[in-house]
Amino acid sequence: MLELSWLLIAIPLAGAALLLLAGRSSDAFGHLIATAASAAAFVLGLVMFIELLGRDAGDRSVTSSLGTWIEAGRFHVEFAFTFDQLSSLFVLLITGVGTLIHVYSIGYMAHDERRRRFFAYLNLFVAAMLTLVLAADYLVLFLGWEGVGLASYLLIGFWQHKPSAAAAANKAFIMNRIGDVGMVIAIMTMFATFGTTSIAAVNGAAGEVSAATATALGLLLLLGACGKSAQVPLQAWLLDAMEGPTPVSALIHAATMVTAGVYLVVRSAGIYDASEVARTFVIVVGLVTLLVGAWIGCAKDDIKKVLAGSTMSQIGYMMLAAGLGPAGYAFAIFHLLTHGFFKANMFLGAGSVMHAMDDDVDMRHYGALRRAMPITFATFGLGYLAIIGFPGMSGFFSKDKIIEAALAHNLWIGVGAMIGAGITAFYMTRLMMMTFFGDQRWRDGVHPHESPSVMTIPLIALAALSVLGGALYLGNWIGHWLEPVAGHAEHHELPAPVIVIQLAVLALVAAGVALAVWLYRSDVPDTAPADADVSILTRAGRHEIYTNEVNGALAVFPVRYLTRFLVWLDARGIDGLVRGTADRIGEAAQGLRATQTGYVRSYALGIFGGALAVVLGLLAVTLG
Amino acid sequence: MTEYITLSFLLFTIGAVGVIVRRNAIVVFMCIELMLNATNLAFVSFARQHGNLDGQTAAFFVMVVAAAEVVIGLAIIVSIYRTRRSASVDDANLLKA
């Protein structure tokens, strides 16, 4: 049964192919097929997971090969998949949350003419993401890596008639390519160094190569991870990616694809264990992103962009944990799973709110929605409690473990993570206050109503998972489960007892909540204050800390001028040379035209002249 | 011998000038024949002077070519006259650039 990894991928892939190839004839039932394909993959994944549970700890990694993919000299790539402790958790997350989001999309996209296409892309995404997490070779992983990039591009730009959506899709695609350059070079370096790109072989041998090589590999993979997971400095695409339909934001840009970078780091544990420098970079990237994302989340009025900033920030936590090495890998994955539940829940909740508010995303036009949309409010509220780390909720366990691990590693990193928790509480409370509490600030003609049950049932399921996800940590189950993959963590001394740390985090969270409740208790203006009237922190946050401007100045501007120069060189230099030659020849031909009079007599004269010249020439040669 | 060569030279020059200055296709054609015969005369004269038959042979070839040329040339002139109602060579100037 465990050799059926390929089938997990094949089912949604077949669904996507069917929907795309069958065309309009499958319009009527396409969404059902896609949802069924995703659900079938989930059931298969669950059966395989249960079988894995029943095995001995040492026997839980099953690699099955479909055959040789590439065979060229020493270069050998096996099209192989590994179903093990780590990938099984991902399979369940992707297909489980993916299926719920498929169901939700049936309602959300009900009035979209291109719904079938949307579902085909969703299935394509699920197939690519499963390829990514099941791959046993970095090159196969890269196939999935690019596949999710493609699906992300297609889905961000799904409403292609909107120029902003098309531009956002391009932005995401291009920024991901920058990270992918790192990935590609890393894979080439692996082949040059180890003679193979198999994940197991590379990580097994990573400890034996020079520290410089391991560091280079670690940093290159981190570059790829930064692109895919929207980490500083390649984070700018994620906020624009919110142009896509909300289920896409929930599935791809919150729960699964953007966490692929964290998966990559954890999967490459062997490489990162061999390089302290690379790990430090991962920690710094994670810490910076978690604070930057939270900062942006505090300033935006667009509900999806607040959640996107929050996603960046939470993935920053996961990166931070992954950078801590064996002490953090399991917690990174733990937070990844719980975040997948509560963030998908909140994105779908936001989609439900938008559905009710005529696709308005400005929170300043919301307010007092808790009565109009009780189920959305309740489920969103549970997600909210989970993300701020309310005791007992899933986020409480997963975030606390990361903060503790960070504190054990370095006091300042831990303090940064704790401050991040406080800011998280602030911006999420701000979102809750502006959306569900306070006064009604609805636009004219908007009549909020609860969404249909096809949308609320997935919300309820995800809310339940947001609450209960913490159960994965019972008796440190997830730590033991992942130990064969992530390595054994030695126990570190904490600077203070655990209970003190937990209370400190809770105090910060409570402070953030209290501040937001007090600031947004009522009279929120229904138009955003002008940039000049807000503090410099808010202004910077609204402008995403000017990262787009920095990217523009550092990358776009020079490249644009380089292309202009090249265009000029092409038009004036190269084209000028070619056209100039042709023009000169043409002009010379114009001169010669005059001799062609069309009169027989003038041609005859020419012949006589020529003959005379020949005779004179002969005479000159013979006589002279 | 000089007289024959001189006559040949004169005939050839008359023919060449006729080709260049006359407009009537028939006259141009006759002038070409004149040039051919001038060369024939030169061939034969030189053959006699050198005492071999090479020049005589060449003269026969020229006559054959001239006969063939007359056939085709006259046919062309007749067809041009039929289409253009004129035998002037200057009217047939469609090859002008």
Side-chain angles (χ1 to χ4, degrees):
Chain A
M1 196 72 190
L2 291 177
E3 281 77 27
L4 287 177
S5 298
W6 64 272
L7 193 60
L8 283 171
I9 300 165
I11 295 171
L13 195 63
L18 180 72
L19 262 55
L20 287 175
L21 295 176
R24 290 182 192 286
S25 57
S26 59
D27 269 353
F29 53 88
H31 52 282
L32 299 176
I33 289 184
T35 311
S38 180
F42 174 67
V43 170
L44 179 60
L46 195 62
V47 170
M48 287 168 73
F49 178 72
I50 290 168
E51 190 178 336
L52 205 63
L53 277 177
R55 291 201 172 194
D56 292 334
D59 195 25
R60 281 184 181 149
S61 174
V62 180
T63 301
S64 50
S65 175
L66 285 186
T68 302
W69 184 18
I70 299 174
E71 176 87 76
R74 285 202 305 129
F75 190 51
H76 181 90
V77 177
E78 198 74 18
F79 211 94
F81 301 110
T82 300
F83 194 81
D84 67 357
Q85 295 91 333
L86 180 57
S87 50
S88 61
L89 289 179
F90 267 90
V91 166
L92 291 182
L93 175 72
I94 295 160
T95 55
V97 174
T99 305
L100 289 173
I101 290 174
H102 273 76
V103 173
Y104 177 92
S105 305
I106 294 176
Y108 191 81
M109 301 298 280
H111 305 298
D112 197 294
E113 282 177 7
R114 296 160 72 235
R115 177 166 72 165
R116 170 185 55 83
R117 191 179 290 264
F118 178 82
F119 275 89
Y121 292 159
L122 276 190
N123 261 6
L124 177 68
F125 169 77
V126 170
M129 190 72 201
L130 289 172
T131 312
L132 199 166
V133 298
L134 286 167
D137 190 293
Y138 277 105
L139 210 62
V140 181
L141 185 148
F142 191 64
L143 184 73
W145 189 268
E146 292 303 300
V148 292
L150 169 70
S152 161
Y153 167 81
L154 291 169
L155 287 165
I156 294 171
F158 185 72
W159 287 321
Q160 59 211 50
H161 51 84
K162 284 199 297 186
S164 57
N170 278 335
K171 185 173 179 182
F173 200 72
I174 291 166
M175 292 201 80
N176 267 297
R177 291 291 78 65
I178 297 171
D180 290 348
V181 171
M183 270 292 274
V184 172
I185 299 176
I187 293 173
M188 291 183 210
T189 312
M190 281 169 199
F191 176 65
T193 314
F194 305 103
T196 174
T197 52
S198 153
I199 292 176
V202 166
N203 283 290
E208 296 152 21
V209 298
S210 70
T213 311
T215 305
L217 278 176
L219 292 182
L220 288 165
L221 289 176
L222 176 63
L223 180 63
C226 280
K228 194 60 81 193
S229 291
Q231 300 291 291
V232 173
L234 295 176
Q235 85 292 6
W237 64 270
L238 186 62
L239 286 129
D240 292 81
M242 296 300 124
E243 286 290 342
T246 306
V248 172
S249 310
L251 177 60
I252 302 187
H253 304 119
T256 55
M257 185 192 83
V258 285
T259 57
V262 180
Y263 170 79
L264 183 70
V265 173
V266 175
R267 192 48 110 183
S268 307
I271 293 170
Y272 285 97
D273 287 348
S275 171
E276 184 73 32
V277 182
R279 280 218 306 279
T280 309
F281 267 90
V282 177
I283 292 175
V284 170
V285 163
L287 186 62
V288 170
T289 311
L290 94 81
L291 293 173
V292 166
W295 184 356
I296 294 173
C298 292
K300 290 283 184 185
D301 288 333
D302 178 331
I303 186 169
K304 285 182 75 181
K305 293 205 169 172
V306 173
L307 290 174
S310 161
T311 302
M312 271 170 65
S313 172
Q314 299 302 314
I315 297 171
Y317 272 108
M318 298 168 207
M319 274 288 177
L320 170 61
L324 296 173
Y329 289 141
F331 300 138
I333 300 300
F334 181 32
H335 194 53
L336 196 159
L337 295 172
T338 58
H339 173 257
F341 299 146
F342 61 68
K343 189 53 71 61
N345 171 22
M346 283 192 285
F347 259 115
L348 295 185
S352 177
V353 169
M354 285 162 60
H355 206 66
M357 303 301 282
D358 289 349
D359 287 331
D360 193 346
V361 290
D362 192 341
M363 292 192 296
R364 291 186 185 274
H365 303 165
Y366 296 171
L369 286 173
R370 68 184 184 282
R371 283 188 213 292
M373 312 181 70
I375 299 176
T376 305
F377 168 66
T379 55
F380 202 106
L382 291 172
Y384 158 77
L385 292 177
I387 193 175
I388 66 168
F390 192 79
M393 300 286 172
S394 60
F396 169 75
F397 297 104
S398 57
K399 195 180 288 181
D400 252 23
K401 296 315 292 180
I402 292 178
I403 290 173
E404 282 168 25
L407 274 172
H409 183 79
N410 179 305
L411 181 65
W412 293 110
I413 294 170
V415 169
M418 285 169 75
I419 293 171
I423 307 177
T424 305
F426 172 77
Y427 69 72
M428 286 311 300
T429 309
R430 173 175 178 269
L431 188 153
M432 286 297 283
M433 293 299 289
M434 288 176 79
T435 305
F436 293 105
F437 295 92
D439 308 325
Q440 292 181 7
R441 298 180 301 275
W442 307 341
R443 303 280 95 169
D444 294 337
V446 172
H447 304 291
H449 52 87
E450 186 56 272
S451 298
S453 57
V454 73
M455 286 165 72
T456 51
I457 288 168
L459 283 175
I460 294 166
L462 283 167
L465 286 168
S466 309
V467 175
L468 302 174
L472 289 173
Y473 185 66
L474 283 179
N476 196 14
W477 177 83
I478 190 156
H480 295 305
W481 174 253
L482 288 173
E483 200 171 295
V485 183
H488 181 69
E490 294 100 52
H491 186 69
H492 285 280
E493 277 308 309
L494 284 167
V498 172
I499 185 73
V500 174
I501 296 169
Q502 285 182 344
L503 285 175
V505 173
L506 280 178
L508 274 168
V509 167
V513 171
L515 183 64
V517 169
W518 185 70
L519 280 177
Y520 295 94
R521 61 195 181 282
S522 62
D523 62 351
V524 178
D526 65 351
T527 48
D531 270 3
D533 299 340
V534 295
S535 73
I536 187 158
L537 287 175
T538 312
R539 209 179 308 153
R542 276 186 189 176
H543 293 276
E544 295 157 33
I545 326 211
Y546 303 106
T547 43
N548 285 320
E549 284 77 4
V550 171
N551 287 344
L554 290 183
V556 180
F557 182 79
V559 171
R560 182 171 288 164
Y561 274 82
L562 180 68
T563 43
R564 279 192 193 161
F565 169 71
L566 289 176
V567 165
W568 177 85
L569 191 70
D570 183 49
R572 293 296 162 84
I574 297 171
D575 282 11
L577 197 67
V578 174
R579 289 214 187 110
T581 311
D583 285 352
R584 294 296 89 72
I585 291 173
E587 280 168 20
Q590 284 293 341
L592 287 175
R593 255 180 78 172
T595 62
Q596 304 288 317
T597 58
Y599 294 122
V600 178
R601 294 181 287 128
S602 63
Y603 298 140
L605 188 63
I607 294 169
F608 288 135
L612 197 64
V614 169
V615 169
L616 289 177
L618 280 173
L619 281 176
V621 171
T622 24
L623 298 179
Chain B
M1 284 312 286
T2 323
E3 293 83 3
Y4 290 106
I5 301 301
T6 311
L7 178 61
S8 161
F9 184 79
L10 276 173
L11 287 173
F12 188 89
T13 309
I14 290 166
V17 170
V19 167
I20 291 168
V21 302
R22 296 304 297 264
R23 288 200 177 84
N24 190 313
I26 301 288
V27 178
V28 171
F29 201 62
M30 278 156 57
C31 289
I32 291 170
E33 292 302 312
L34 198 58
M35 286 157 70
L36 286 169
N37 283 315
T39 50
N40 272 352
L41 184 59
F43 273 128
V44 174
S45 310
F46 286 125
R48 187 165 177 83
Q49 187 185 8
H50 293 294
N52 65 21
L53 288 173
D54 290 357
Q56 308 271 10
T57 321
F60 275 114
F61 276 108
V62 171
M63 276 185 224
V64 171
V65 170
E69 187 227 332
V70 166
V71 172
I72 294 170
L74 279 175
I76 290 172
I77 289 167
V78 167
S79 79
I80 285 178
Y81 183 76
R82 280 195 182 158
T83 52
R84 299 185 169 265
R85 293 278 130 207
S86 152
S88 166
V89 287
D90 284 1
D91 288 345
N93 61 357
L94 286 179
L95 277 178
K96 184 171 63 182

